[in-house]
Amino acid sequence: MEKTLILLKPDAVQKSLIGQIIDRFERKGLKIAWIKMMKMSQALIEEHYDFLMDKPFFPRIATYMSSGPIIAMCLEWADAVKVVRQMCGATNPAEATMWTIRWDYAKNIDNNIIHASDSPETAEKELNRFFNVSTEFFEYKRTLID
Ligand code: GDP
């Protein structure tokens, strides 16, 4: 089983899309391993989007990501990183494949609804960034499914 980090960004929460998006992952069979609602501090935004700090659109990312609460989730499945990225669609919703999450719900590249880790290595780093592995971590089995 592979783990990946998902963030439902502030527009997903504001548009009451939390349930619809989680439903897609559950219907696909992905396991919700950890989940929480939180607000991202400026420091956390700067750490998470460090690789985009020198881009002209970085201030828009910072304003957007601090505009309201987000949902952070760890999803688990075989090939979770790849499957979840496919389900999310391209960064720019205008280029996203039809019926993906961003194609269905995202307004534009500045408001693109969801974040998903782009590799297993990034996922491990990002999960440690958003979850305190010593106090929030536990494993459980879906005994009726898996
Ligand atoms: P992701 O992995 O698909 O989220 O894409 P990236 O890691 O490349 O970018 C992180 C986030 O920065 C994206 O989800 C967008 O919200 C934002 N972003 C990336 N590239 C652009 C861009 O060219 N223009 C704008 N306005 N925002 C961008």
Side-chain angles (χ1 to χ4, degrees), residues 91-129:
T91 309
N92 186 349
E95 290 160 13
T97 302
M98 205 184 278
W99 313 130
T100 56
I101 291 167
R102 283 171 169 159
W103 187 87
D104 270 350
Y105 303 125
K107 190 170 152 199
N108 52 43
I109 196 166
D110 287 329
N111 302 268
N112 65 358
I113 292 282
I114 192 162
H115 165 82
S117 306
D118 63 7
S119 71
E121 296 72 35
T122 313
E124 197 185 337
K125 270 191 222 144
E126 292 184 343
L127 285 165
N128 278 292
R129 181 176 298 151

XYZ file of all heavy atoms in Angstrom, residues 91-129:
317
model
N -2.852 20.689 -13.512
C -2.780 21.863 -12.625
C -3.714 22.970 -13.084
O -4.428 23.585 -12.280
C -1.327 22.406 -12.610
O -0.438 21.331 -12.326
C -1.155 23.513 -11.593
N -3.690 23.228 -14.412
C -4.590 24.226 -14.983
C -5.902 23.537 -15.385
O -5.913 22.713 -16.300
C -3.932 24.866 -16.218
C -4.768 25.998 -16.764
O -5.919 26.180 -16.365
N -4.202 26.762 -17.673
N -6.999 23.863 -14.704
C -8.272 23.177 -14.991
C -8.684 23.274 -16.450
O -9.364 22.374 -16.957
C -9.290 23.902 -14.112
C -8.519 24.732 -13.175
C -7.114 24.871 -13.657
N -8.230 24.330 -17.137
C -8.578 24.472 -18.561
C -7.942 23.360 -19.391
O -8.403 23.064 -20.494
C -8.125 25.833 -19.071
N -6.884 22.738 -18.844
C -6.202 21.659 -19.569
C -6.493 20.286 -18.958
O -5.931 19.278 -19.388
C -4.684 21.901 -19.549
C -4.275 23.075 -20.409
C -2.901 23.630 -20.041
O -2.161 22.965 -19.288
O -2.610 24.748 -20.491
N -7.348 20.243 -17.957
C -7.616 18.975 -17.257
C -8.494 18.055 -18.112
O -9.375 18.515 -18.834
C -8.299 19.252 -15.917
N -8.223 16.756 -18.001
C -9.034 15.753 -18.697
C -10.475 15.819 -18.179
O -10.708 16.046 -16.983
C -8.444 14.344 -18.419
O -7.104 14.342 -18.861
C -9.217 13.255 -19.128
N -11.399 15.584 -19.098
C -12.823 15.616 -18.759
C -13.156 14.673 -17.587
O -12.591 13.584 -17.506
C -13.613 15.163 -19.993
C -15.019 15.678 -20.056
S -15.885 15.005 -21.486
C -15.315 16.072 -22.746
N -14.010 15.082 -16.714
C -14.519 14.345 -15.544
C -13.488 14.216 -14.422
O -13.768 13.563 -13.419
C -15.056 12.945 -15.886
C -15.970 12.904 -17.061
C -15.886 12.044 -18.130
C -17.129 13.727 -17.322
N -16.886 12.295 -19.034
C -17.668 13.316 -18.566
C -17.745 14.784 -16.633
C -18.784 13.921 -19.132
C -18.866 15.382 -17.212
C -19.364 14.940 -18.431
N -12.310 14.800 -14.558
C -11.404 14.806 -13.400
C -11.927 15.839 -12.392
O -12.796 16.657 -12.710
C -9.955 15.173 -13.811
O -9.992 16.442 -14.476
C -9.343 14.124 -14.727
N -11.366 15.808 -11.181
C -11.839 16.702 -10.109
C -11.657 18.167 -10.505
O -12.563 18.984 -10.346
C -11.100 16.368 -8.795
C -11.574 14.994 -8.289
C -11.319 17.449 -7.732
C -10.721 14.387 -7.180
N -10.488 18.502 -11.050
C -10.267 19.906 -11.434
C -11.130 20.293 -12.635
O -11.612 21.416 -12.723
C -8.784 20.153 -11.701
C -7.985 20.266 -10.393
C -6.509 20.284 -10.657
N -5.716 20.641 -9.489
C -4.431 20.342 -9.369
N -3.799 19.671 -10.316
N -3.769 20.700 -8.285
N -11.326 19.384 -13.566
C -12.195 19.676 -14.724
C -13.614 19.958 -14.242
O -14.270 20.884 -14.706
C -12.187 18.496 -15.701
C -12.906 18.778 -16.994
C -12.380 19.347 -18.119
C -14.287 18.514 -17.279
N -13.355 19.450 -19.093
C -14.523 18.951 -18.618
C -15.341 17.951 -16.560
C -15.769 18.834 -19.229
C -16.584 17.843 -17.176
C -16.794 18.285 -18.486
N -14.064 19.178 -13.285
C -15.448 19.307 -12.794
C -15.657 20.537 -11.913
O -16.683 21.192 -12.007
C -15.825 18.076 -11.955
C -16.446 16.977 -12.802
O -16.763 17.231 -13.974
O -16.604 15.862 -12.272
N -14.694 20.829 -11.026
C -14.988 21.788 -9.953
C -14.140 23.054 -9.934
O -14.510 24.025 -9.268
C -14.799 21.124 -8.587
C -15.627 19.886 -8.352
C -15.031 18.687 -7.974
C -17.022 19.928 -8.469
C -15.789 17.549 -7.730
C -17.783 18.794 -8.231
C -17.159 17.615 -7.870
O -17.907 16.501 -7.633
N -12.946 23.045 -10.578
C -12.030 24.172 -10.379
C -12.341 25.327 -11.326
O -12.661 25.130 -12.492
C -10.586 23.702 -10.570
N -12.207 26.544 -10.772
C -12.529 27.745 -11.546
C -11.382 28.101 -12.500
O -11.604 28.374 -13.669
C -12.752 28.883 -10.545
C -13.314 30.147 -11.114
C -13.708 31.061 -9.949
C -13.636 32.507 -10.331
N -13.561 33.368 -9.143
N -10.159 28.123 -11.983
C -8.978 28.468 -12.797
C -7.717 28.009 -12.058
O -7.818 27.445 -10.975
C -8.941 29.988 -13.088
C -9.065 30.795 -11.811
O -8.442 30.467 -10.795
N -9.878 31.829 -11.828
N -6.554 28.281 -12.655
C -5.298 27.774 -12.069
C -5.016 28.365 -10.685
O -4.350 27.752 -9.857
C -4.109 27.989 -13.045
C -2.900 27.119 -12.634
C -3.749 29.465 -13.157
C -1.832 27.003 -13.694
N -5.538 29.552 -10.420
C -5.359 30.173 -9.101
C -6.276 29.557 -8.044
O -6.069 29.741 -6.846
C -5.688 31.672 -9.153
C -4.605 32.460 -9.866
O -3.434 32.053 -9.799
O -4.936 33.486 -10.486
N -7.310 28.895 -8.494
C -8.314 28.319 -7.583
C -8.587 26.893 -8.081
O -9.636 26.607 -8.650
C -9.622 29.126 -7.624
C -9.417 30.585 -7.252
O -9.547 30.966 -6.104
N -9.052 31.383 -8.234
N -7.594 26.019 -7.854
C -7.715 24.699 -8.503
C -8.059 23.559 -7.537
O -7.745 22.400 -7.771
C -6.490 24.400 -9.376
C -5.213 24.260 -8.576
O -5.220 24.426 -7.366
N -4.130 23.934 -9.252
N -8.707 23.904 -6.419
C -9.463 22.947 -5.584
C -8.652 21.955 -4.756
O -8.984 21.671 -3.620
C -10.488 22.147 -6.456
C -11.602 23.075 -6.964
C -11.065 20.952 -5.764
C -12.690 23.416 -5.938
N -7.596 21.383 -5.345
C -6.972 20.229 -4.677
C -5.468 20.194 -4.914
O -4.997 20.642 -5.963
C -7.653 18.925 -5.193
C -7.266 17.713 -4.340
C -7.366 18.668 -6.684
C -8.214 16.528 -4.511
N -4.755 19.683 -3.927
C -3.329 19.376 -4.074
C -3.156 17.877 -3.885
O -3.799 17.275 -3.033
C -2.500 20.106 -2.999
C -1.112 19.553 -2.881
N -0.086 19.924 -3.726
C -0.581 18.601 -2.058
C 1.011 19.254 -3.411
N 0.739 18.437 -2.402
N -2.270 17.271 -4.674
C -1.924 15.861 -4.481
C -0.431 15.693 -4.695
O 0.130 16.266 -5.640
C -2.698 14.994 -5.474
N 0.223 14.929 -3.849
C 1.674 14.699 -3.960
C 2.019 14.147 -5.339
O 1.252 13.368 -5.915
C 2.136 13.685 -2.914
O 1.753 14.077 -1.628
N 3.217 14.539 -5.836
C 3.557 14.129 -7.206
C 4.494 12.930 -7.309
O 4.814 12.496 -8.411
C 4.098 15.325 -8.009
C 5.398 15.888 -7.431
O 5.958 15.272 -6.488
O 5.847 16.934 -7.921
N 4.959 12.401 -6.177
C 5.775 11.177 -6.199
C 5.725 10.560 -4.801
O 5.412 11.263 -3.823
C 7.236 11.496 -6.566
O 7.854 12.171 -5.484
N 6.054 9.276 -4.668
C 6.070 8.661 -3.331
C 7.044 9.361 -2.385
O 6.761 9.504 -1.199
C 6.494 7.217 -3.605
C 6.107 6.964 -5.027
C 6.269 8.286 -5.742
N 8.182 9.841 -2.934
C 9.179 10.532 -2.088
C 8.610 11.855 -1.586
O 8.741 12.204 -0.410
C 10.465 10.804 -2.890
C 11.211 9.565 -3.353
C 10.513 8.807 -4.484
O 9.892 9.458 -5.347
O 10.580 7.570 -4.492
N 7.956 12.608 -2.493
C 7.334 13.874 -2.078
C 6.227 13.588 -1.068
O 6.054 14.329 -0.103
C 6.709 14.601 -3.299
O 7.636 14.602 -4.358
C 6.311 16.014 -2.977
N 5.464 12.532 -1.293
C 4.347 12.197 -0.399
C 4.852 12.006 1.025
O 4.257 12.515 1.982
C 3.640 10.939 -0.892
N 5.969 11.285 1.181
C 6.498 11.040 2.522
C 6.866 12.362 3.212
O 6.511 12.595 4.367
C 7.703 10.110 2.439
C 8.018 9.520 3.797
C 9.273 8.674 3.795
O 9.668 8.174 2.724
O 9.862 8.543 4.884
N 7.533 13.234 2.445
C 7.920 14.539 3.007
C 6.680 15.354 3.372
O 6.592 15.968 4.431
C 8.712 15.330 1.959
C 10.185 15.099 2.008
C 10.900 16.135 1.130
C 11.998 15.432 0.356
N 12.237 15.899 -0.978
N 5.702 15.374 2.456
C 4.511 16.205 2.663
C 3.636 15.671 3.805
O 3.045 16.449 4.550
C 3.708 16.295 1.367
C 4.449 17.091 0.298
C 3.659 17.285 -0.989
O 2.667 16.555 -1.213
O 4.031 18.165 -1.765
N 3.582 14.341 3.955
C 2.786 13.779 5.061
C 3.407 14.185 6.399
O 2.690 14.528 7.346
C 2.692 12.262 4.926
C 1.728 11.812 3.823
C 1.931 10.348 3.467
C 0.271 12.066 4.223
N 4.723 14.190 6.453
C 5.400 14.628 7.685
C 5.233 16.122 7.926
O 5.295 16.578 9.062
C 6.885 14.278 7.621
C 7.109 12.831 7.998
O 6.921 12.445 9.140
N 7.443 12.009 7.023
N 5.017 16.874 6.842
C 4.818 18.319 6.960
C 3.435 18.614 7.554
O 3.267 19.535 8.335
C 4.945 18.943 5.566
C 4.790 20.445 5.523
C 5.031 20.950 4.100
N 6.389 20.647 3.662
C 6.737 20.433 2.378
N 5.849 20.520 1.420
N 7.989 20.149 2.076
